[in-house]
Amino acid sequence: MKNRIALKAEPRRTAIVLAIFTMISLFLILVLVFSVNKDCMQLHSLIRSSYDYSVTTQEPVLENDYYQFNAGIDFALSADSQSSLNADIIMQTDSSVYTDLIFWNANKLGTHGIAVSKNIAKSNNLHLGDKLYSKHIVNGEVCEYAIEQIIPETICVRADTGNKHSNGIIIMGYDAEYVDHITHNCVAFTDENITAFAAKCSSTPQDIIYRDDEIRSAVLSIVPYLVVFSLISIVITVISICVLNKGIACNFRRLVMLGFDKKSLNHAYYGYIYKSGATSIIITLALSSIVFLFADITAIRVTLVLWIPLIELITLFTATTITNRRLWRK
């Protein structure tokens, strides 16, 4: 049985390098996830929906449509609050049917009932039955609205430039006073052919936004962050490998000069670098699961948490092969 080759790496040096690498990697994962969190929410909501496009109409089409008012409607946490929630607000119609065509659809609400998206509820510590307050635009009174439903996470009703920066949506129950006295239009979501849908409308539908385009927009918003953070993770992985390599390079070359066979030396070299790097990456991955203490587990968030460790693993294998070849050339 052959004796195992020891490259005599300095434990303290290795521990410091891996600790720094782990902390930086963890920081990158957390910053990446929270930087694109809103886009992830919207993307998840869009993927889970099944409508083909949304349009604005003058009157309801009686299925998966909502009133949107030209006058601003605000909701606050208290009746005397000077600040309002940053929400995209829509109102149910009195006779429309709401289906699972839209992931965040709510059941029928009362006149003073509302549904809030989970992200707004979580960030403001709101629960079913809690109250929000809004100044009624028609009569000027501050009205109390009860949270009747908490709907899935989403950022805005439609991902256009007007409301993409909201923090979620609030759906109001039908209020005839608003509809009778405030200028409004309707936003409808459908999977019908545009010709068939237009035949149901009292006037030509406007502002068609296809769900595929919204998905593409959300993905394109995330990609630049992935690219930047991937490059940073590649750089720190390469630097870490170079530092680890430097710590054993002299001993490695000494063993080469003593006549140790190449296969055994390479086995020892790769074992040391791979074991060190993989251990750090696994620890980072385990620690990064704390993300899910603050956000729901979705396929998109899981992908983001796994992204940087995956890039680091690929870089680890690639860079280690390169540094090993350079050692043999020297």
Side-chain angles (χ1 to χ4, degrees), residues 47-105:
I47 291 173
R48 294 293 300 273
S49 298
S50 55
Y51 65 89
D52 287 336
Y53 58 91
S54 60
V55 299
T56 56
T57 62
Q58 292 300 312
E59 298 296 333
V61 293
L62 307 181
E63 186 175 4
N64 295 310
D65 52 7
Y66 293 91
Y67 289 117
Q68 288 184 315
F69 296 93
N70 296 335
I73 302 175
D74 296 317
F75 281 88
L77 297 174
S78 64
D80 56 354
S81 175
Q82 299 301 309
S83 60
S84 59
L85 300 177
N86 181 21
D88 196 6
I89 298 169
I90 52 177
M91 178 183 288
Q92 292 180 337
T93 71
D94 59 336
S95 53
S96 292
V97 175
Y98 297 99
T99 70
D100 59 3
L101 199 68
I102 310 171
F103 181 54
W104 44 261
N105 257 345

Side-chain angles (χ1 to χ4, degrees), residues 21 25 29 233 237 281-282 284-286 288 303-316:
F21 177 64
S25 297
I29 292 173
S233 67
T237 304
I281 291 171
I282 291 171
T284 301
L285 192 55
S288 63
T303 300
L304 287 175
V305 169
L306 292 174
W307 181 262
I308 286 179
L310 178 61
I311 294 295
E312 290 174 343
L313 278 175
I314 294 172
T315 306
L316 174 66

Side-chain angles (χ1 to χ4, degrees), residues 133-205:
Y133 300 86
S134 177
K135 185 175 182 179
H136 201 289
I137 298 175
V138 178
N139 58 37
E141 297 179 358
V142 175
C143 298
E144 183 181 83
Y145 292 82
I147 298 177
E148 295 182 358
Q149 293 178 56
I150 294 179
I151 57 177
E153 291 180 328
T154 191
I155 294 301
C156 56
V157 175
R158 305 173 84 199
D160 57 26
T161 56
N163 51 19
K164 194 175 180 180
H165 299 293
S166 63
N167 292 329
I169 68 174
I170 295 177
I171 302 174
M172 302 173 65
Y174 176 75
D175 187 332
E177 285 193 88
Y178 272 100
V179 178
D180 292 341
H181 297 92
I182 306 297
T183 305
H184 62 272
N185 56 25
C186 293
V187 56
F189 301 81
T190 181
D191 57 359
E192 290 186 73
N193 176 278
I194 186 62
T195 303
F197 180 80
K200 298 163 57 175
C201 302
S202 59
S203 59
T204 304

